[in-house]
């Protein structure tokens, strides 16, 4: 009974915690500019994420190691440090974007500009980290994030042509603006396959004391939770394609993004959008702060757990205190969260091999996984998607930067 | 060597500023946003502060992108006509923001109708630019 409850909660929290500033912004921009043409990128990213999440839970349940623990142990500290630099830098940018997303949600609700929210929002995030427990952060924020299901309601209300939508699941090139198309594809992949999610998930499995009996639960949570989450991202893209594209509206700011929901759900759309952004970004900010602290603490061999008093793992608490504080600074100076979001999502794609390739090696190591190591399907799907994301990122990021 | 040349060409092409067609798309995007927003405000589905701030943002963006576009207007269109359409749209956006503050729905509705006419004029100009490229 306890496991069934955990299973249901796991799926619900995966769905509620799936959307964040990156997935909303990239999907909205894609839908507004290219209609359904980039649905395939969400499908590909979600498929890869299902495998990665399942793998990270399996590693923790079987080997009792988090990903970071195992990378450091298997590859040594110098290599781990290299992975840490790349991954944490990108995760930090994503954290800035998430805090900015909360600030923007509060701006459109209150009229007070987002730089003014940077400090109060960061303080609340920090306070929850300081006082909260792992399950509060994992479940509380994600349950609030269920408001993002309103995007599915909005998509259904707009009555999409399902045949056209289905055709978007296969890649097709647009007639013009191809560099923007590829940049958006890369950003969508980066938003879907966020390595911090795998670090967070494997650390959570250790915090929740998973063992081999959790393997079936892990598989179901990964498959259903991520599939439903991917459907939410697709719903955002569909709403933007139907509500914004016919009117020629591109999503350059959050103010414009909010319009997609006011078209689909006139009465409540605006508030549902604002609350969706608020809760989704809040949950993601907590998860990323935790993931970065896990990364440092597990890598350097410090005490770590969100379930103990900060005095018992002072260095763990110090890391999130420091990074949340630093993340507020660019926002206080008015740096545009949407620009940071797009760039950090694309950079996530570019740095995926750094975090995921060592992880793939671990998942094939009999010392860690024994008979539970990866089969060829997991290796092929993850390997191919990571390769595609990396190549597209390396080609499209310079084009986008220099194209302005 | 061929690869190096190809990379250089790609970089040079990508360094170019936005084309007039892209600038017109951005202008139409902001005008379209203001129209959707305006209709929402008239239906009482968007709050006053958000509506006013977004209309002001649309106005500022329109002026900025329009000024860039008018520095070197495309030869295929009459720049006076473009300037006129941009000025009228900008004035209407600024007026709409004021009317939201005054909560003057009838007046707002009238200006919104005028903005929709501006949108048509800008769309025609945009089509001309696009067909010439």
């Amino acid at each position: 009974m306890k496991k069934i409850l955990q299973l249901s909660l796991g799926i619900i929290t995966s769905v509620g915690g799936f959307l964040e500033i990156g997935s909303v912004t990239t999907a909205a921009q894609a839908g507004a500019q290219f209609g359904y043409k980039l649905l395939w990128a969400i499908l590909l990213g979600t498929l890869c994420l299902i495998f990665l999440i399942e793998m990270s839970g399996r590693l923790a349940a079987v080997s009792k190691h988090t990903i970071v623990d195992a990378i450091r142990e298997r590859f040594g500290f110098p290599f781990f440090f290299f992975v840490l630099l790349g991954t944490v830098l990108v995760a930090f940018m994503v954290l800035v974007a998430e805090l900015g997303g909360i600030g923007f949600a509060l701006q459109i609700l209150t009229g007070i500009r987002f730089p003014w929210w940077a400090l109060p929002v960061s303080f609340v995030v920090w306070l929850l980290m300081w006082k909260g427990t792992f399950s509060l952060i994992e479940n509380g924020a994600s349950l609030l994030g269920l408001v993002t299901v309103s995007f599915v309601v909005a998509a259904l209300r707009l009555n999409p042509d399902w045949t056209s939508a289905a055709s978007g699941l296969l890649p097709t090139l647009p007639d013009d603006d191809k560099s923007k198309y590829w940049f958006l594809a890369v950003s969508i992949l980066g938003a879907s396959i966020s390595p911090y999610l795998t670090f967070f998930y494997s650390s959570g499995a250790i915090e929740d004391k998973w063992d081999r009996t959790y393997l079936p639960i892990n598989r179901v949570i990964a498959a259903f939770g991520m599939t439903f989450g991917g459907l939410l991202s697709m719903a955002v893209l569909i709403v933007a394609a139907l509500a914004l594209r016919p009117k020629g509206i591109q999503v350059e700011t959050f103010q414009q993004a909010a319009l997609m929901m006011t078209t689909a759900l006139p009465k409540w759309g605006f508030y549902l959008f604002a609350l969706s952004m608020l809760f989704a970004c809040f949950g993601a900010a907590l998860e990323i702060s935790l993931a970065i602290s896990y990364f440092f603490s597990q890598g350097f061999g410090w005490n770590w757990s969100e379930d103990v008093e900060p005095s018992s793992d002072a260095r763990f608490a110090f890391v999130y205190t420091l990074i949340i504080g630093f993340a507020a600074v660019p926002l206080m100076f008015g740096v545009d969260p949407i620009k940071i979001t797009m760039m950090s999502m694309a950079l996530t794609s570019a740095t995926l091999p750094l975090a995921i390739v060592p992880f793939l090696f671990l998942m094939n190591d009999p010392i860690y996984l024994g008979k539970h190591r990866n089969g060829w399907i997991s290796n092929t799907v993850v390997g191919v998607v990571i390769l595609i994301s990396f190549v597209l990122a390396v080609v499209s990021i310079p084009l986008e930067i220099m194209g302005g | 060597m061929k690869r190096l040349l190809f990379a250089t060409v790609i970089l040079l092409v990508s360094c170019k500023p936005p084309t007039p067609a892209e600038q017109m798309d951005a202008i139409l995007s902001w005008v379209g946003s203001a129209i959707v927003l305006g209709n929402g405000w008239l239906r009482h589905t968007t709050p006053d502060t958000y509506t006013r701030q977004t209309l002001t943002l649309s106005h500022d963006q329109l002026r900025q992108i329009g000024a860039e576009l008018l520095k070197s207007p495309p030869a295929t269109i009459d720049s006076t006509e473009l300037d006129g359409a941009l000025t009228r749209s900008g004035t209407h956006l600024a007026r709409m923001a004021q009317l939201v503050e005054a909560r003057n729905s009838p007046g707002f509705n009238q200006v919104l109708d005028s903005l929709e006419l501006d949108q048509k004029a800008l769309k025609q100009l945009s089509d001309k630019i696009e067909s010439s490229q």
Side-chain angles (χ1 to χ4, degrees):
Chain A
M1 189 63 192
K2 188 187 163 206
K3 284 195 174 162
I4 292 174
L5 267 175
Q6 278 185 325
L7 181 68
S8 319
L9 191 62
I11 293 173
I12 290 169
T13 53
S14 303
V15 176
F18 194 90
L19 284 190
E20 39 78 55
I21 191 169
S23 43
V24 173
T25 309
T26 53
Q29 287 201 348
Q33 193 153 359
F34 297 107
Y36 301 134
K37 278 185 193 296
L38 278 162
L39 276 173
W40 65 267
I42 299 179
L43 179 71
L44 201 62
T46 306
L47 187 67
C48 186
L49 188 63
I50 290 171
F51 280 93
L52 284 173
I53 290 292
E54 189 279 328
M55 282 158 52
S56 53
R58 179 157 39 102
L59 176 75
V62 174
S63 75
K64 309 287 183 213
H65 282 72
T66 64
I67 299 174
V68 178
D69 267 345
I71 288 180
R72 189 195 151 159
E73 190 179 271
R74 170 76 170 72
F75 299 98
F77 186 79
F79 180 81
F80 161 76
F81 193 72
F82 185 58
V83 176
L84 177 125
L85 277 183
T87 310
V88 167
L89 190 71
V90 176
F92 176 78
M93 283 177 71
V94 182
L95 177 63
V96 175
E98 302 297 346
L99 292 176
I102 305 171
F104 247 117
L106 291 167
Q107 176 181 324
I108 61 174
L109 281 169
T110 64
I112 300 169
R113 278 177 44 77
F114 76 88
W116 291 102
W117 290 108
L119 269 185
V121 160
S122 306
F123 178 71
V124 174
V125 169
W126 173 82
L127 194 64
L128 259 171
M129 295 280 292
W130 189 266
K131 294 278 181 195
T133 59
F134 180 78
S135 60
L136 175 80
I137 287 173
E138 186 191 28
N139 303 331
S142 299
L143 287 175
L144 287 175
L146 284 176
V147 71
T148 54
V149 175
S150 57
F151 283 108
V152 176
V153 178
L156 294 173
R157 280 283 300 265
L158 290 170
N159 203 17
D161 173 1
W162 294 109
T163 315
S164 305
S167 69
L169 295 173
L170 291 173
T172 43
L173 269 178
D175 296 329
D176 51 9
D177 223 350
K178 291 187 179 65
S179 69
K180 180 78 179 175
Y181 174 86
W182 288 116
F183 182 76
L184 274 173
V186 166
S187 302
I188 288 173
L189 286 168
S192 308
I193 319 167
S194 304
Y196 81 82
L197 277 177
T198 58
F199 302 141
F200 179 78
Y201 192 80
S202 74
S203 305
I206 298 289
E207 294 249 29
D208 287 342
K209 299 181 176 54
W210 280 17
D211 55 28
R212 283 167 204 240
T213 60
Y214 280 79
L215 288 177
I217 291 184
N218 172 49
R219 206 166 290 155
V220 176
I221 290 176
F224 284 91
M226 297 306 126
T227 303
F228 289 132
L231 289 176
L232 284 184
S233 283
M234 288 185 183
V236 175
L237 186 146
I238 289 171
V239 174
L242 293 173
L244 303 181
R245 192 163 188 253
K247 291 163 184 135
I249 300 173
Q250 299 164 357
V251 179
E252 298 296 332
T253 65
F254 276 105
Q255 286 91 334
Q256 288 174 302
L259 295 172
M260 66 175 158
M261 288 292 273
T262 62
T263 306
L265 303 166
K267 197 168 180 185
W268 295 103
F270 171 79
Y271 294 100
L272 285 171
F273 177 84
L275 291 177
S276 293
M277 290 305 294
L278 184 66
F279 294 138
C281 294
F282 196 74
L286 289 168
E287 285 182 8
I288 297 166
S289 305
L290 257 185
I292 296 177
S293 303
Y294 284 143
F295 209 107
F296 272 96
S297 306
Q298 292 162 8
F300 287 100
W302 303 337
N303 283 347
W304 63 272
S305 176
E306 181 57 12
D307 286 338
V308 299
E309 286 294 315
S311 57
S312 303
D313 51 7
R315 285 175 289 194
F316 175 78
F318 177 70
V319 172
Y320 65 69
T321 303
L322 202 66
I323 54 144
I324 293 171
F326 276 133
V329 176
L331 298 169
M332 282 159 59
F333 287 100
V335 172
D336 183 357
I338 283 216
K339 290 206 170 93
I340 293 191
T341 303
M342 295 310 290
M343 200 39 73
S344 60
M345 294 305 133
L347 282 176
T348 300
S349 277
T351 54
L352 277 176
L354 196 64
I356 305 299
V357 171
F359 179 38
L360 269 185
F361 273 97
L362 283 174
M363 293 307 298
N364 286 279
D365 192 332
I367 296 171
Y368 287 90
L369 275 305
K371 65 175 183 173
H372 294 286
R373 61 184 185 275
N374 269 6
W376 66 271
I377 298 178
S378 315
N379 286 333
T380 310
V381 171
V382 173
V384 168
V385 177
I386 298 303
L387 184 71
I388 292 172
S389 308
F390 175 70
V391 171
L392 288 178
V394 168
V395 175
S396 70
I397 292 174
L399 290 178
E400 183 63 18
I401 293 172
M402 291 173 194
Chain B
M1 190 61 193
K2 270 184 186 171
R3 281 184 190 162
L4 190 66
L5 269 174
F6 178 71
T8 314
V9 169
I10 291 284
L11 281 177
L12 285 174
V13 169
S14 62
C15 281
K16 70 180 179 14
T19 63
E22 285 165 349
Q23 287 172 313
M24 281 306 287
D25 282 347
I27 287 168
L28 282 167
S29 166
W30 283 107
V31 173
S33 301
I35 290 170
V36 172
L37 187 62
N39 283 314
W41 187 74
L42 285 172
R43 289 195 309 262
H44 308 290
T45 57
T46 54
D48 292 354
T49 314
Y50 161 72
T51 308
R52 186 170 43 77
Q53 283 184 346
T54 308
L55 287 169
T56 307
L57 180 66
S58 303
H59 171 258
D60 296 345
Q61 292 289 324
L62 188 82
R63 279 187 62 174
Q64 195 185 324
I65 304 165
E68 282 295 316
L69 181 60
L70 285 168
K71 274 184 194 166
S72 48
T76 47
I77 56 160
D78 180 356
S79 61
T80 323
E81 195 184 346
L82 175 64
D83 191 12
L86 288 171
T87 308
R88 275 196 307 278
S89 307
T91 310
H92 289 141
L93 287 171
R95 182 77 188 122
M96 282 162 73
Q98 290 167 352
L99 290 166
V100 169
E101 197 155 21
R103 299 197 175 175
N104 180 346
S105 299
F108 186 91
N109 202 5
Q110 273 185 340
V111 185
L112 184 61
D113 288 343
S114 308
L115 187 67
E116 281 173 345
L117 292 176
D118 299 338
Q119 186 190 33
K120 282 180 188 150
L122 286 166
K123 182 83 181 77
Q124 282 173 353
L125 290 167
S126 171
D127 290 343
K128 273 187 198 170
I129 293 172
E130 238 162 69
S131 61
S132 68
Q133 283 186 342

